[in-house]
Amino acid sequence: MADTHTESGLRDLLGLRDRWAWLFLLIFELTIVLYMLRTLSDSAPMTGLSALLIMVVAGVLVLVIPVDPLPWPATVFVVTAGPVATVLTIIDVDHGLTKPVWAPFASSYVLAVLVLRGRLGAAWLGVGGIAAVIAIVGAMTGARVGVVVGSVVPVATVAGISIGAAIMRPMQRSLRLLREEATMRAAAEATMAAENGERDRQLAKLDKVARPILERIAGGAELSAAEREQCRLLEAELRDGLRAPQLVTDELSSAARGARSRGVEVVLLDDGGFAGVPRWVRQQVIESATKELDAADAGSVTVRVLPIGRRILATVLANAPEHDRRTEIDTAGEVSVST
């Protein structure tokens, strides 16, 4: 059974990428045209040109569509192109079938590539169609056996490619697995680098803000009331960085510190809804939360980023002795306030 992956196995196997792919296509099409030009002298101009155009289009389809196996609509066209081109090039032959038919030569290359595109059975169906057309016309016109056989022989190319494909298929699978492993390894390394960078950033921040007070505590110094309050605020900020890293900005952290110093209970929560949201929408959440924190003198303020996939992106709930206020920011950046 053909592999149902979406990357082009032929491109992987032969390295057909960028300019090399176009060069291969050009050579492939030139080969088809050279064979089909020989049919113009043996058939009517319009039917000969029609056959040439059909084979050229089939050659393009079998190469340029980057999906393996080749999609069925393109496969059906490629399979029928050979028999149709063969019919068109011998339908006007005078004095019966006396010379080899050149359309099967061009068709053999197209069907051989079709085998590499994961459509082995369909390619052999095309071979059978070409053989049947030549046999029927040969029988009707009394052609010599040598002429009929000589016209069918080129499709033996498909047999050779079929055998080669059976041998190369494990190689293609190995190449694909190696590429997938390399991609996964690169993603893991990038994730690790990002995690290391974030850890270094957090450690540097912790060292900057916490080291002085920790050194005083380690030295046995007795902390003043102001220093103990500083420790409380610092502990809350560090907790914010763990529970809501996407909300920790200089603007919001400063507002949260000011609200806590006034006795307001501040809770920041991040459930991941910022993923894939534009930066300006995130900034809308930060500004709404900062505004509410700056206005709070008592009670509590809870800022929460909701899980991804919700219509509402974030909420800011302010509980005060005189009133409660709820602010909602949706994924479009619209802000609604209810009291």
Side-chain angles (χ1 to χ4, degrees):
M1 181 180 295
D3 295 331
T4 55
H5 51 91
T6 56
E7 292 292 332
S8 176
L10 182 63
R11 285 178 170 80
D12 293 338
L13 188 62
L14 302 180
L16 298 180
R17 299 183 182 279
D18 302 328
R19 59 189 180 123
W20 297 111
W22 290 106
L23 180 60
F24 184 87
L25 176 62
L26 178 63
I27 296 174
F28 186 72
E29 291 290 350
L30 182 61
T31 303
I32 293 174
V33 170
L34 289 177
Y35 274 118
M36 295 302 296
L37 285 178
R38 299 189 180 192
T39 66
L40 297 181
S41 61
D42 297 329
S43 59
M46 289 304 299
T47 55
L49 288 174
S50 298
L52 186 151
L53 179 61
I54 290 173
M55 292 308 304
V56 167
V57 173
V60 172
L61 290 178
V62 81
L63 277 180
V64 301
I65 298 178
V67 178
D68 277 342
L70 193 69
W72 277 114
T75 299
V76 171
F77 183 91
V78 172
V79 169
T80 58
V84 170
T86 302
V87 170
L88 289 175
T89 53
I90 64 178
I91 196 171
D92 293 324
V93 173
D94 296 329
H95 310 298
L97 189 62
T98 59
K99 295 188 292 185
V101 182
W102 292 105
F105 285 78
S107 301
S108 66
Y109 291 102
V110 175
L111 294 175
V113 175
L114 186 62
V115 171
L116 296 178
R117 300 305 305 274
R119 296 298 186 189
L120 176 63
W124 278 101
L125 185 61
V127 170
I130 295 172
V133 168
I134 294 177
I136 292 172
V137 175
M140 293 175 59
T141 59
R144 298 192 310 273
V145 175
V147 174
V148 175
V149 173
S151 299
V152 177
V153 163
V155 298
T157 305
V158 181
I161 294 298
S162 298
I163 297 173
I167 298 173
M168 291 185 295
R169 189 66 63 182
M171 184 186 303
Q172 288 180 271
R173 188 177 297 109
S174 298
L175 289 173
R176 188 173 69 254
L177 291 175
L178 287 174
R179 185 178 63 250
E180 291 174 355
E181 290 177 2
T183 301
M184 294 176 61
R185 189 181 303 112
E189 291 175 354
T191 301
M192 185 178 298
E195 292 175 350
N196 290 338
E198 178 63 18
R199 183 174 65 251
D200 293 342
R201 188 181 69 83
Q202 293 291 347
L203 288 175
K205 180 179 179 181
L206 178 64
D207 183 73
K208 178 181 179 181
V209 300
R211 176 183 289 274
I213 195 68
L214 290 176
E215 288 179 345
R216 281 183 55 79
I217 295 174
E222 184 176 352
L223 300 181
S224 65
E227 289 174 327
R228 288 195 294 271
E229 175 66 10
Q230 181 183 356
C231 288
R232 184 183 73 85
L233 297 177
L234 178 59
E235 185 271 337
E237 288 182 15
L238 294 176
R239 188 169 58 249
D240 290 341
L242 295 175
R243 294 193 302 192
Q246 296 292 330
L247 289 173
V248 177
T249 64
D250 292 340
E251 180 183 3
L252 186 57
S253 295
S254 176
R257 172 181 279 266
R260 285 175 174 134
S261 66
R262 295 191 297 272
V264 178
E265 181 183 357
V266 179
V267 178
L268 304 183
L269 300 172
D270 181 5
D271 291 329
F274 274 168
V277 176
R279 182 178 296 274
W280 70 270
V281 177
R282 299 184 187 186
Q283 185 61 31
Q284 189 72 38
V285 174
I286 299 298
E287 291 177 358
S288 298
T290 300
K291 180 179 178 181
E292 203 64 63
L293 288 168
D294 288 339
D297 292 320
S300 65
V301 176
T302 301
V303 183
R304 182 190 178 194
V305 179
L306 299 178
I308 190 171
R310 305 282 185 88
R311 184 183 66 84
I312 301 301
L313 174 62
T315 61
V316 181
L317 180 61
N319 299 114
E322 63 276 8
H323 67 273
D324 294 336
R325 184 165 49 248
R326 179 183 177 90
T327 303
E328 295 182 345
I329 305 93
D330 63 20
T331 54
E334 295 293 331
V335 180
S336 60
V337 180
S338 58
T339 302

